[in-house]
Amino acid sequence: MANSAGSKKRARQAEKRRQHNASLRSMARTYMKKVFAAIDSGDQAAAQEAFKAAQPVLDSSVNKGIFHKNKIARTKSRLNARIKAMA
Protein backbone atom coordinates (compact mmCIF):
# COMPACT_ATOMS: atom_id res chain seq x y z
CA MET A 1 0.00 0.00 0.00
CA ALA A 2 1.12 3.56 -0.72
CA ASN A 3 2.81 5.37 2.16
CA SER A 4 3.88 8.83 1.06
CA ALA A 5 1.34 11.51 0.22
CA GLY A 6 2.47 11.55 -3.42
CA SER A 7 2.11 7.81 -3.86
CA LYS A 8 -1.32 7.86 -2.19
CA LYS A 9 -2.41 10.52 -4.66
CA ARG A 10 -1.02 8.49 -7.56
CA ALA A 11 -2.98 5.47 -6.36
CA ARG A 12 -6.18 7.54 -6.24
CA GLN A 13 -5.56 8.93 -9.71
CA ALA A 14 -4.77 5.49 -11.13
CA GLU A 15 -8.02 4.07 -9.74
CA LYS A 16 -10.06 6.96 -11.14
CA ARG A 17 -8.39 6.53 -14.53
CA ARG A 18 -8.93 2.75 -14.45
CA GLN A 19 -12.66 3.20 -13.85
CA HIS A 20 -12.95 5.82 -16.60
CA ASN A 21 -11.10 3.59 -19.08
CA ALA A 22 -13.29 0.62 -18.12
CA SER A 23 -16.37 2.71 -18.85
CA LEU A 24 -15.07 3.72 -22.29
CA ARG A 25 -14.05 0.13 -23.08
CA SER A 26 -17.49 -1.13 -22.08
CA MET A 27 -19.22 1.49 -24.23
CA ALA A 28 -17.13 0.55 -27.28
CA ARG A 29 -17.90 -3.14 -26.78
CA THR A 30 -21.61 -2.35 -26.47
CA TYR A 31 -21.55 -0.59 -29.84
CA MET A 32 -19.80 -3.64 -31.34
CA LYS A 33 -22.47 -5.93 -29.89
CA LYS A 34 -25.22 -3.75 -31.38
CA VAL A 35 -23.70 -4.24 -34.83
CA PHE A 36 -23.36 -8.00 -34.30
CA ALA A 37 -26.99 -8.17 -33.13
CA ALA A 38 -28.19 -6.29 -36.23
CA ILE A 39 -26.15 -8.63 -38.46
CA ASP A 40 -27.59 -11.69 -36.73
CA SER A 41 -31.12 -10.36 -37.14
CA GLY A 42 -30.56 -10.30 -40.91
CA ASP A 43 -31.47 -6.63 -41.40
CA GLN A 44 -28.72 -5.15 -43.56
CA ALA A 45 -29.99 -1.56 -43.28
CA ALA A 46 -30.06 -1.73 -39.49
CA ALA A 47 -26.62 -3.32 -39.46
CA GLN A 48 -25.24 -0.55 -41.67
CA GLU A 49 -26.73 2.13 -39.40
CA ALA A 50 -25.35 0.45 -36.28
CA PHE A 51 -21.93 0.22 -37.95
CA LYS A 52 -22.00 3.92 -38.87
CA ALA A 53 -22.83 4.77 -35.25
CA ALA A 54 -20.09 2.47 -33.93
CA GLN A 55 -17.25 3.71 -36.13
CA PRO A 56 -16.60 7.09 -34.43
CA VAL A 57 -16.86 5.52 -30.98
CA LEU A 58 -14.33 2.84 -31.88
CA ASP A 59 -11.98 5.35 -33.50
CA SER A 60 -12.09 7.67 -30.50
CA SER A 61 -11.33 4.74 -28.19
CA VAL A 62 -8.13 4.19 -30.18
CA ASN A 63 -7.16 7.87 -29.83
CA LYS A 64 -7.71 7.65 -26.07
CA GLY A 65 -5.51 4.57 -25.83
CA ILE A 66 -8.29 2.20 -24.78
CA PHE A 67 -7.69 -0.26 -27.64
CA HIS A 68 -4.79 -0.81 -30.03
CA LYS A 69 -5.34 0.69 -33.47
CA ASN A 70 -4.83 -2.63 -35.26
CA LYS A 71 -7.45 -4.37 -33.11
CA ILE A 72 -10.08 -1.75 -33.95
CA ALA A 73 -9.08 -1.72 -37.63
CA ARG A 74 -9.43 -5.51 -37.72
CA THR A 75 -12.79 -5.38 -35.93
CA LYS A 76 -14.18 -2.71 -38.27
CA SER A 77 -12.96 -4.64 -41.30
CA ARG A 78 -14.63 -7.85 -40.13
CA LEU A 79 -17.89 -6.08 -39.28
CA ASN A 80 -17.97 -4.34 -42.64
CA ALA A 81 -17.22 -7.61 -44.45
CA ARG A 82 -20.09 -9.36 -42.67
CA ILE A 83 -22.47 -6.51 -43.52
CA LYS A 84 -21.46 -6.62 -47.19
CA ALA A 85 -21.85 -10.42 -47.24
CA MET A 86 -25.51 -10.00 -46.28
CA ALA A 87 -26.37 -8.48 -49.67
Side-chain angles (χ1 to χ4, degrees):
M1 183 57 206
N3 288 322
S4 69
S7 58
K8 285 180 181 176
K9 180 177 178 180
R10 269 287 165 213
R12 288 195 308 270
Q13 288 176 325
E15 178 59 20
K16 190 182 288 188
R17 214 169 28 248
R18 184 190 69 78
Q19 289 179 352
H20 184 250
N21 289 345
S23 170
L24 294 174
R25 194 177 308 116
S26 173
M27 180 177 69
R29 287 176 178 159
T30 300
Y31 274 90
M32 286 186 226
K33 286 177 191 171
K34 287 179 183 176
V35 179
F36 282 124
I39 290 170
D40 291 339
S41 72
D43 187 358
Q44 188 179 13
Q48 190 65 45
E49 288 302 313
F51 183 63
K52 279 184 183 176
Q55 271 183 307
V57 174
L58 297 175
D59 290 336
S60 69
S61 70
V62 169
N63 292 335
K64 293 172 184 172
I66 306 299
F67 292 107
H68 193 275
K69 63 178 181 148
N70 290 1
K71 176 186 171 68
I72 294 301
R74 182 175 64 239
T75 302
K76 291 192 314 188
S77 175
R78 288 177 180 172
L79 287 172
N80 201 28
R82 286 182 64 178
I83 291 170
K84 286 184 175 179
M86 295 170 73

Coordinates of all heavy atoms in Angstrom, one line a residue:
M1 N 0.8 -1.2 0.0 CA 0.0 0.0 0.0 C 0.9 1.2 0.0 O 2.0 1.2 0.6 CB -0.9 0.0 1.2 CG -1.9 1.1 1.3 SD -3.0 1.2 -0.1 CE -3.4 3.0 -0.1
A2 N 0.4 2.3 -0.6 CA 1.1 3.6 -0.7 C 1.3 4.2 0.7 O 0.4 4.1 1.5 CB 0.4 4.5 -1.6
N3 N 2.5 4.8 0.9 CA 2.8 5.4 2.2 C 2.9 6.9 2.1 O 2.3 7.6 2.9 CB 4.1 4.8 2.7 CG 3.9 3.4 3.2 OD1 2.9 3.0 3.8 ND2 4.9 2.5 3.0
S4 N 3.7 7.4 1.2 CA 3.9 8.8 1.1 C 2.6 9.5 0.5 O 1.8 8.8 -0.2 CB 5.1 9.2 0.2 OG 4.8 8.8 -1.1
A5 N 2.5 10.8 0.7 CA 1.3 11.5 0.2 C 1.3 11.5 -1.3 O 0.2 11.3 -1.9 CB 1.4 13.0 0.7
G6 N 2.4 11.6 -1.9 CA 2.5 11.5 -3.4 C 2.0 10.2 -4.0 O 1.3 10.1 -5.0
S7 N 2.5 9.1 -3.3 CA 2.1 7.8 -3.9 C 0.7 7.5 -3.6 O 0.0 6.8 -4.3 CB 3.0 6.7 -3.3 OG 3.0 6.7 -1.9
K8 N 0.1 8.0 -2.5 CA -1.3 7.9 -2.2 C -2.2 8.6 -3.3 O -3.2 8.0 -3.7 CB -1.7 8.4 -0.8 CG -1.2 7.5 0.3 CD -1.6 8.1 1.7 CE -1.1 7.2 2.8 NZ -1.3 7.8 4.1
K9 N -1.7 9.8 -3.6 CA -2.4 10.5 -4.7 C -2.3 9.8 -6.0 O -3.3 9.7 -6.7 CB -1.8 11.9 -4.8 CG -2.5 12.8 -5.9 CD -1.9 14.2 -5.9 CE -2.6 15.0 -7.0 NZ -2.1 16.3 -7.1
R10 N -1.2 9.3 -6.3 CA -1.0 8.5 -7.6 C -2.0 7.3 -7.6 O -2.5 7.0 -8.6 CB 0.4 8.0 -7.7 CG 1.3 8.9 -8.4 CD 1.0 8.9 -9.9 NE 1.6 10.0 -10.6 CZ 1.1 10.6 -11.6 NH1 0.0 10.3 -12.1 NH2 1.7 11.6 -12.2
A11 N -2.1 6.6 -6.4 CA -3.0 5.5 -6.4 C -4.4 5.9 -6.6 O -5.2 5.2 -7.3 CB -2.8 4.8 -5.0
R12 N -4.8 7.0 -6.0 CA -6.2 7.5 -6.2 C -6.4 7.9 -7.7 O -7.4 7.5 -8.3 CB -6.4 8.8 -5.4 CG -6.6 8.6 -3.9 CD -7.2 9.8 -3.2 NE -6.5 11.0 -3.5 CZ -5.5 11.5 -2.8 NH1 -5.0 10.9 -1.7 NH2 -4.9 12.7 -3.1
Q13 N -5.4 8.5 -8.3 CA -5.6 8.9 -9.7 C -5.6 7.7 -10.6 O -6.4 7.7 -11.6 CB -4.4 9.8 -10.1 CG -4.4 11.2 -9.5 CD -3.2 12.0 -9.9 OE1 -2.1 11.5 -10.0 NE2 -3.4 13.3 -10.1
A14 N -4.8 6.7 -10.3 CA -4.8 5.5 -11.1 C -6.1 4.8 -11.1 O -6.6 4.3 -12.1 CB -3.7 4.6 -10.7
E15 N -6.7 4.7 -9.9 CA -8.0 4.1 -9.7 C -9.1 4.8 -10.5 O -10.0 4.2 -11.2 CB -8.4 4.0 -8.3 CG -9.7 3.3 -8.0 CD -9.9 1.9 -8.5 OE1 -8.9 1.2 -8.8 OE2 -11.0 1.5 -8.7
K16 N -9.1 6.1 -10.4 CA -10.1 7.0 -11.1 C -9.9 6.7 -12.7 O -10.9 6.6 -13.4 CB -9.9 8.4 -10.8 CG -11.0 9.4 -11.3 CD -10.7 10.8 -11.0 CE -10.9 11.1 -9.5 NZ -10.8 12.5 -9.2
R17 N -8.7 6.7 -13.1 CA -8.4 6.5 -14.5 C -8.8 5.1 -15.0 O -9.4 5.0 -16.1 CB -6.9 6.7 -14.8 CG -6.6 7.4 -16.1 CD -5.1 7.8 -16.2 NE -4.2 7.1 -15.5 CZ -3.5 7.6 -14.4 NH1 -3.7 8.9 -14.1 NH2 -2.6 6.9 -13.8
R18 N -8.6 4.1 -14.1 CA -8.9 2.8 -14.5 C -10.4 2.6 -14.6 O -10.9 2.0 -15.6 CB -8.5 1.8 -13.3 CG -8.7 0.3 -13.6 CD -8.5 -0.5 -12.4 NE -9.5 -0.3 -11.4 CZ -10.7 -0.8 -11.4 NH1 -11.1 -1.6 -12.4 NH2 -11.6 -0.6 -10.4
Q19 N -11.2 3.3 -13.7 CA -12.7 3.2 -13.9 C -13.2 3.9 -15.1 O -14.1 3.5 -15.8 CB -13.3 3.8 -12.6 CG -13.1 2.9 -11.4 CD -13.7 3.5 -10.1 OE1 -14.2 4.7 -10.1 NE2 -13.8 2.8 -9.1
H20 N -12.5 5.1 -15.4 CA -12.9 5.8 -16.6 C -12.7 5.0 -17.9 O -13.5 4.9 -18.8 CB -12.2 7.2 -16.6 CG -12.6 8.0 -17.8 ND1 -11.8 8.3 -18.8 CD2 -13.8 8.7 -18.0 CE1 -12.5 9.1 -19.7 NE2 -13.7 9.4 -19.2
N21 N -11.5 4.4 -17.9 CA -11.1 3.6 -19.1 C -12.0 2.4 -19.2 O -12.4 2.0 -20.3 CB -9.6 3.1 -19.0 CG -8.7 4.3 -19.2 OD1 -9.0 5.3 -19.7 ND2 -7.4 4.1 -18.8
A22 N -12.4 1.8 -18.1 CA -13.3 0.6 -18.1 C -14.6 1.0 -18.7 O -15.3 0.3 -19.5 CB -13.4 0.0 -16.7
S23 N -15.1 2.2 -18.3 CA -16.4 2.7 -18.9 C -16.3 2.9 -20.4 O -17.2 2.5 -21.1 CB -16.7 4.0 -18.2 OG -17.8 4.7 -18.8
L24 N -15.2 3.5 -20.8 CA -15.1 3.7 -22.3 C -15.0 2.4 -23.0 O -15.5 2.2 -24.1 CB -13.8 4.6 -22.6 CG -13.9 6.0 -22.0 CD1 -12.6 6.7 -22.2 CD2 -15.0 6.8 -22.7
R25 N -14.2 1.4 -22.5 CA -14.0 0.1 -23.1 C -15.4 -0.6 -23.2 O -15.7 -1.2 -24.2 CB -13.1 -0.7 -22.3 CG -12.5 -1.9 -23.0 CD -11.5 -2.7 -22.1 NE -10.4 -1.8 -21.7 CZ -10.2 -1.5 -20.4 NH1 -10.9 -2.0 -19.4 NH2 -9.2 -0.7 -20.1
S26 N -16.2 -0.5 -22.1 CA -17.5 -1.1 -22.1 C -18.4 -0.5 -23.1 O -19.1 -1.2 -23.8 CB -18.1 -1.0 -20.7 OG -19.4 -1.4 -20.7
M27 N -18.4 0.8 -23.3 CA -19.2 1.5 -24.2 C -18.9 1.0 -25.7 O -19.7 0.8 -26.5 CB -19.1 3.0 -24.1 CG -19.9 3.8 -25.1 SD -19.8 5.6 -24.9 CE -18.1 5.9 -25.4
A28 N -17.6 1.0 -25.9 CA -17.1 0.5 -27.3 C -17.6 -0.9 -27.6 O -18.1 -1.2 -28.7 CB -15.6 0.6 -27.4
R29 N -17.5 -1.8 -26.6 CA -17.9 -3.1 -26.8 C -19.4 -3.2 -27.0 O -19.9 -4.1 -27.7 CB -17.5 -4.0 -25.6 CG -16.0 -4.3 -25.5 CD -15.6 -5.0 -24.3 NE -14.2 -5.3 -24.3 CZ -13.5 -5.6 -23.2 NH1 -14.1 -5.6 -22.0 NH2 -12.2 -5.8 -23.3
T30 N -20.2 -2.4 -26.3 CA -21.6 -2.3 -26.5 C -22.0 -2.0 -27.9 O -22.9 -2.6 -28.5 CB -22.2 -1.4 -25.5 OG1 -21.9 -1.8 -24.2 CG2 -23.8 -1.3 -25.6
Y31 N -21.3 -1.0 -28.5 CA -21.5 -0.6 -29.8 C -21.2 -1.7 -30.8 O -22.0 -2.0 -31.8 CB -20.7 0.7 -30.2 CG -21.4 1.9 -29.9 CD1 -21.3 2.5 -28.6 CD2 -22.3 2.6 -30.8 CE1 -21.9 3.7 -28.3 CE2 -23.0 3.7 -30.5 CZ -22.8 4.3 -29.2 OH -23.4 5.5 -28.9
M32 N -20.1 -2.5 -30.5 CA -19.8 -3.6 -31.3 C -20.9 -4.7 -31.3 O -21.3 -5.2 -32.3 CB -18.5 -4.3 -30.9 CG -17.3 -3.5 -31.2 SD -15.8 -4.5 -30.8 CE -14.8 -3.3 -29.9
K33 N -21.4 -4.9 -30.1 CA -22.5 -5.9 -29.9 C -23.7 -5.5 -30.6 O -24.5 -6.4 -31.1 CB -22.8 -6.1 -28.4 CG -21.7 -6.9 -27.7 CD -22.0 -7.0 -26.2 CE -20.9 -7.5 -25.4 NZ -21.1 -7.4 -23.9
K34 N -24.0 -4.2 -30.7 CA -25.2 -3.7 -31.4 C -25.1 -4.1 -32.9 O -26.1 -4.5 -33.5 CB -25.4 -2.2 -31.2 CG -25.9 -1.9 -29.8 CD -26.0 -0.4 -29.7 CE -26.5 0.0 -28.2 NZ -26.5 1.5 -28.1
V35 N -23.9 -3.9 -33.4 CA -23.7 -4.2 -34.8 C -23.9 -5.7 -35.1 O -24.5 -6.2 -36.0 CB -22.3 -3.8 -35.3 CG1 -22.1 -4.1 -36.8 CG2 -22.2 -2.3 -35.1
F36 N -23.2 -6.5 -34.2 CA -23.4 -8.0 -34.3 C -24.8 -8.4 -34.2 O -25.3 -9.3 -35.0 CB -22.6 -8.7 -33.2 CG -21.1 -8.7 -33.5 CD1 -20.2 -8.2 -32.6 CD2 -20.6 -9.3 -34.6 CE1 -18.8 -8.2 -32.8 CE2 -19.2 -9.3 -34.9 CZ -18.3 -8.8 -34.0
A37 N -25.6 -7.8 -33.3 CA -27.0 -8.2 -33.1 C -27.8 -7.8 -34.4 O -28.6 -8.6 -34.8 CB -27.6 -7.4 -31.9
A38 N -27.5 -6.7 -35.0 CA -28.2 -6.3 -36.2 C -27.8 -7.2 -37.4 O -28.7 -7.6 -38.2 CB -27.8 -4.9 -36.6
I39 N -26.6 -7.7 -37.4 CA -26.1 -8.6 -38.5 C -26.9 -10.0 -38.3 O -27.4 -10.6 -39.2 CB -24.6 -8.8 -38.4 CG1 -23.9 -7.6 -38.9 CG2 -24.2 -10.0 -39.3 CD1 -22.4 -7.6 -38.7
D40 N -26.9 -10.4 -37.0 CA -27.6 -11.7 -36.7 C -29.1 -11.7 -37.0 O -29.7 -12.7 -37.3 CB -27.3 -12.1 -35.3 CG -25.9 -12.5 -35.0 OD1 -25.2 -12.8 -36.0 OD2 -25.5 -12.4 -33.8
S41 N -29.7 -10.5 -36.9 CA -31.1 -10.4 -37.1 C -31.4 -10.4 -38.6 O -32.6 -10.7 -39.0 CB -31.7 -9.1 -36.6 OG -31.2 -8.0 -37.3
G42 N -30.4 -10.2 -39.5 CA -30.6 -10.3 -40.9 C -31.0 -9.0 -41.6 O -31.3 -9.0 -42.8
D43 N -31.1 -7.9 -40.8 CA -31.5 -6.6 -41.4 C -30.2 -5.8 -41.8 O -29.5 -5.3 -40.9 CB -32.3 -5.9 -40.4 CG -32.9 -4.6 -40.9 OD1 -32.6 -4.3 -42.1 OD2 -33.6 -3.9 -40.2
Q44 N -30.0 -5.8 -43.1 CA -28.7 -5.1 -43.6 C -28.7 -3.6 -43.3 O -27.7 -3.1 -42.9 CB -28.5 -5.4 -45.0 CG -27.1 -4.9 -45.5 CD -26.8 -5.2 -47.0 OE1 -27.7 -5.5 -47.7 NE2 -25.6 -5.0 -47.3
A45 N -29.9 -3.0 -43.5 CA -30.0 -1.6 -43.3 C -29.7 -1.2 -41.8 O -29.0 -0.3 -41.5 CB -31.4 -1.1 -43.7
A46 N -30.3 -2.0 -40.9 CA -30.1 -1.7 -39.5 C -28.6 -2.0 -39.1 O -28.0 -1.2 -38.3 CB -31.0 -2.6 -38.6
A47 N -28.0 -3.0 -39.7 CA -26.6 -3.3 -39.5 C -25.7 -2.2 -39.9 O -24.8 -1.8 -39.3 CB -26.2 -4.6 -40.1
Q48 N -26.0 -1.6 -41.1 CA -25.2 -0.5 -41.7 C -25.3 0.7 -40.8 O -24.3 1.4 -40.5 CB -25.7 -0.2 -43.1 CG -24.8 0.7 -43.8 CD -23.5 0.1 -44.1 OE1 -23.4 -1.0 -44.6 NE2 -22.4 0.9 -43.9
E49 N -26.6 1.0 -40.3 CA -26.7 2.1 -39.4 C -26.0 1.9 -38.1 O -25.3 2.9 -37.6 CB -28.2 2.4 -39.1 CG -29.0 2.9 -40.3 CD -28.4 4.2 -40.8 OE1 -28.2 5.1 -40.0 OE2 -28.2 4.4 -42.0
A50 N -26.1 0.7 -37.5 CA -25.4 0.5 -36.3 C -23.8 0.6 -36.5 O -23.1 1.1 -35.6 CB -25.7 -0.9 -35.8
F51 N -23.4 0.1 -37.6 CA -21.9 0.2 -37.9 C -21.5 1.7 -38.1 O -20.4 2.1 -37.6 CB -21.6 -0.6 -39.2 CG -20.2 -0.6 -39.6 CD1 -19.3 -1.2 -38.8 CD2 -19.7 0.0 -40.8 CE1 -17.9 -1.2 -39.1 CE2 -18.4 0.0 -41.1 CZ -17.5 -0.7 -40.2
K52 N -22.3 2.5 -38.7 CA -22.0 3.9 -38.9 C -22.0 4.6 -37.5 O -21.1 5.5 -37.3 CB -23.0 4.6 -39.8 CG -22.8 4.4 -41.2 CD -23.8 5.2 -42.0 CE -23.7 5.0 -43.5 NZ -24.7 5.7 -44.3
A53 N -22.8 4.2 -36.6 CA -22.8 4.8 -35.3 C -21.6 4.3 -34.4 O -21.1 5.0 -33.6 CB -24.1 4.4 -34.5
A54 N -21.2 3.1 -34.7 CA -20.1 2.5 -33.9 C -18.7 3.0 -34.4 O -17.8 3.1 -33.5 CB -20.1 1.0 -34.1
Q55 N -18.6 3.3 -35.6 CA -17.2 3.7 -36.1 C -16.6 4.9 -35.4 O -15.4 4.7 -34.9 CB -17.3 4.1 -37.6 CG -17.1 2.9 -38.5 CD -17.1 3.2 -40.0 OE1 -18.1 3.9 -40.4 NE2 -16.1 2.8 -40.7
P56 N -17.3 6.0 -35.2 CA -16.6 7.1 -34.4 C -16.3 6.7 -33.0 O -15.3 7.2 -32.4 CB -17.6 8.3 -34.5 CG -18.9 7.7 -35.0 CD -18.6 6.4 -35.7
V57 N -17.1 5.9 -32.4 CA -16.9 5.5 -31.0 C -15.6 4.7 -30.9 O -14.8 4.8 -30.0 CB -18.1 4.8 -30.4 CG1 -17.8 4.2 -29.0 CG2 -19.3 5.7 -30.4
L58 N -15.5 3.7 -31.9 CA -14.3 2.8 -31.9 C -13.1 3.6 -32.2 O -12.0 3.4 -31.6 CB -14.5 1.7 -32.9 CG -15.7 0.8 -32.6 CD1 -15.9 -0.2 -33.8 CD2 -15.5 0.0 -31.4
D59 N -13.2 4.6 -33.1 CA -12.0 5.4 -33.5 C -11.5 6.2 -32.3 O -10.3 6.4 -32.1 CB -12.3 6.2 -34.7 CG -12.4 5.4 -36.0 OD1 -11.8 4.3 -36.0 OD2 -13.1 5.8 -36.9
S60 N -12.5 6.8 -31.6 CA -12.1 7.7 -30.5 C -11.5 6.8 -29.4 O -10.6 7.3 -28.6 CB -13.3 8.5 -30.0 OG -14.2 7.6 -29.4
S61 N -11.9 5.6 -29.2 CA -11.3 4.7 -28.2 C -9.9 4.4 -28.5 O -9.1 4.3 -27.6 CB -12.1 3.4 -28.0 OG -12.0 2.6 -29.1
V62 N -9.5 4.4 -29.8 CA -8.1 4.2 -30.2 C -7.3 5.4 -29.8 O -6.2 5.3 -29.2 CB -8.0 3.9 -31.7 CG1 -6.5 4.0 -32.1 CG2 -8.6 2.6 -32.0
N63 N -7.9 6.6 -30.1 CA -7.2 7.9 -29.8 C -6.9 8.1 -28.3 O -6.0 8.7 -27.9 CB -7.9 9.1 -30.4 CG -7.9 9.1 -31.9 OD1 -7.1 8.5 -32.5 ND2 -9.0 9.7 -32.5
K64 N -7.8 7.5 -27.5 CA -7.7 7.6 -26.1 C -6.9 6.5 -25.5 O -6.6 6.5 -24.3 CB -9.1 7.6 -25.4 CG -9.9 8.9 -25.8 CD -11.4 8.7 -25.3 CE -12.2 10.0 -25.8 NZ -13.6 9.8 -25.5
G65 N -6.4 5.6 -26.3 CA -5.5 4.6 -25.8 C -6.2 3.4 -25.2 O -5.6 2.6 -24.4
I66 N -7.5 3.3 -25.4 CA -8.3 2.2 -24.8 C -8.0 0.9 -25.5 O -7.9 -0.2 -24.9 CB -9.8 2.5 -24.8 CG1 -10.1 3.9 -24.2 CG2 -10.6 1.5 -24.1 CD1 -9.7 4.0 -22.7
F67 N -8.0 0.9 -26.8 CA -7.7 -0.3 -27.6 C -6.5 0.1 -28.6 O -6.3 1.2 -28.9 CB -8.9 -0.6 -28.5 CG -10.1 -1.1 -27.8 CD1 -11.2 -0.3 -27.6 CD2 -10.1 -2.4 -27.2 CE1 -12.3 -0.8 -26.9 CE2 -11.2 -2.9 -26.5 CZ -12.3 -2.1 -26.4
H68 N -5.9 -1.0 -29.0 CA -4.8 -0.8 -30.0 C -5.4 -0.5 -31.4 O -6.5 -1.1 -31.7 CB -3.9 -2.1 -30.1 CG -2.6 -1.9 -30.8 ND1 -2.6 -2.0 -32.2 CD2 -1.4 -1.5 -30.4 CE1 -1.3 -1.8 -32.6 NE2 -0.6 -1.5 -31.5
K69 N -4.8 0.3 -32.2 CA -5.3 0.7 -33.5 C -5.6 -0.5 -34.4 O -6.6 -0.5 -35.1 CB -4.5 1.7 -34.2 CG -3.1 1.3 -34.5 CD -2.3 2.3 -35.2 CE -0.9 1.8 -35.5 NZ -0.3 2.3 -36.7
N70 N -4.7 -1.5 -34.4 CA -4.8 -2.6 -35.3 C -6.0 -3.5 -34.9 O -6.7 -4.0 -35.7 CB -3.6 -3.5 -35.3 CG -2.4 -2.8 -36.0 OD1 -2.5 -1.7 -36.4 ND2 -1.3 -3.5 -36.0
K71 N -6.3 -3.6 -33.6 CA -7.4 -4.4 -33.1 C -8.8 -3.8 -33.6 O -9.6 -4.5 -34.1 CB -7.5 -4.4 -31.6 CG -8.7 -5.2 -31.0 CD -8.8 -5.1 -29.5 CE -10.1 -5.6 -29.0 NZ -10.3 -7.1 -29.2
I72 N -8.9 -2.4 -33.5 CA -10.1 -1.8 -34.0 C -10.2 -1.8 -35.5 O -11.3 -2.0 -36.0 CB -10.1 -0.3 -33.4 CG1 -10.2 -0.3 -31.9 CG2 -11.3 0.5 -34.0 CD1 -11.5 -1.1 -31.3
A73 N -9.1 -1.6 -36.2 CA -9.1 -1.7 -37.6 C -9.5 -3.1 -38.1 O -10.4 -3.2 -39.0 CB -7.7 -1.4 -38.2
R74 N -9.0 -4.1 -37.4 CA -9.4 -5.5 -37.7 C -10.9 -5.7 -37.4 O -11.6 -6.3 -38.3 CB -8.6 -6.5 -36.9 CG -8.8 -7.9 -37.1 CD -7.9 -8.8 -36.4 NE -8.0 -8.7 -34.9 CZ -7.1 -8.2 -34.1 NH1 -5.9 -7.9 -34.5 NH2 -7.4 -8.2 -32.8
T75 N -11.4 -5.2 -36.3 CA -12.8 -5.4 -35.9 C -13.7 -4.7 -36.9 O -14.7 -5.3 -37.4 CB -13.0 -4.8 -34.5 OG1 -12.2 -5.5 -33.6 CG2 -14.5 -5.0 -34.1
K76 N -13.4 -3.4 -37.3 CA -14.2 -2.7 -38.3 C -14.2 -3.4 -39.6 O -15.2 -3.5 -40.3 CB -13.7 -1.3 -38.4 CG -13.9 -0.4 -37.2 CD -13.7 1.1 -37.5 CE -12.4 1.4 -38.2 NZ -12.1 2.8 -38.3
S77 N -13.0 -3.9 -40.0 CA -13.0 -4.6 -41.3 C -13.9 -5.9 -41.3 O -14.6 -6.1 -42.3 CB -11.5 -5.0 -41.6 OG -11.4 -5.8 -42.7
R78 N -13.8 -6.6 -40.2 CA -14.6 -7.8 -40.1 C -16.1 -7.5 -40.1 O -16.9 -8.2 -40.7 CB -14.2 -8.6 -38.9 CG -12.9 -9.3 -39.0 CD -12.5 -10.0 -37.8 NE -11.2 -10.7 -37.9 CZ -10.5 -11.3 -36.9 NH1 -11.0 -11.3 -35.7 NH2 -9.3 -11.8 -37.2
L79 N -16.5 -6.5 -39.3 CA -17.9 -6.1 -39.3 C -18.4 -5.7 -40.7 O -19.5 -6.1 -41.1 CB -18.1 -4.9 -38.3 CG -18.0 -5.3 -36.8 CD1 -18.0 -4.0 -35.9 CD2 -19.1 -6.2 -36.4
N80 N -17.6 -4.8 -41.3 CA -18.0 -4.3 -42.6 C -18.1 -5.5 -43.6 O -19.0 -5.5 -44.5 CB -17.0 -3.3 -43.1 CG -17.5 -2.4 -44.2 OD1 -18.7 -2.2 -44.3 ND2 -16.7 -1.9 -45.1
A81 N -17.2 -6.5 -43.6 CA -17.2 -7.6 -44.5 C -18.5 -8.4 -44.2 O -19.1 -8.9 -45.2 CB -16.0 -8.5 -44.2
R82 N -18.9 -8.6 -43.0 CA -20.1 -9.4 -42.7 C -21.3 -8.6 -43.1 O -22.3 -9.3 -43.6 CB -20.2 -9.6 -41.2 CG -19.2 -10.7 -40.7 CD -19.3 -11.0 -39.2 NE -20.6 -11.6 -38.9 CZ -21.0 -12.0 -37.7 NH1 -20.1 -11.9 -36.7 NH2 -22.2 -12.4 -37.4
I83 N -21.3 -7.3 -43.1 CA -22.5 -6.5 -43.5 C -22.6 -6.6 -45.0 O -23.7 -6.8 -45.6 CB -22.3 -5.0 -43.1 CG1 -22.5 -4.9 -41.6 CG2 -23.4 -4.2 -43.8 CD1 -22.2 -3.6 -41.0
K84 N -21.4 -6.5 -45.7 CA -21.5 -6.6 -47.2 C -21.9 -8.0 -47.7 O -22.5 -8.2 -48.7 CB -20.1 -6.3 -47.8 CG -19.8 -4.8 -47.7 CD -18.5 -4.5 -48.4 CE -18.3 -3.0 -48.4 NZ -17.0 -2.6 -49.0
A85 N -21.5 -9.0 -46.9 CA -21.9 -10.4 -47.2 C -23.4 -10.7 -47.1 O -23.9 -11.7 -47.7 CB -21.1 -11.4 -46.4
M86 N -24.1 -9.8 -46.4 CA -25.5 -10.0 -46.3 C -26.3 -9.7 -47.6 O -27.4 -10.2 -47.8 CB -26.1 -9.1 -45.2 CG -25.5 -9.4 -43.8 SD -26.0 -8.2 -42.6 CE -27.7 -8.5 -42.4
A87 N -25.7 -8.9 -48.4 CA -26.4 -8.5 -49.7 C -26.6 -9.7 -50.6 O -25.9 -10.6 -50.6 CB -25.5 -7.4 -50.4

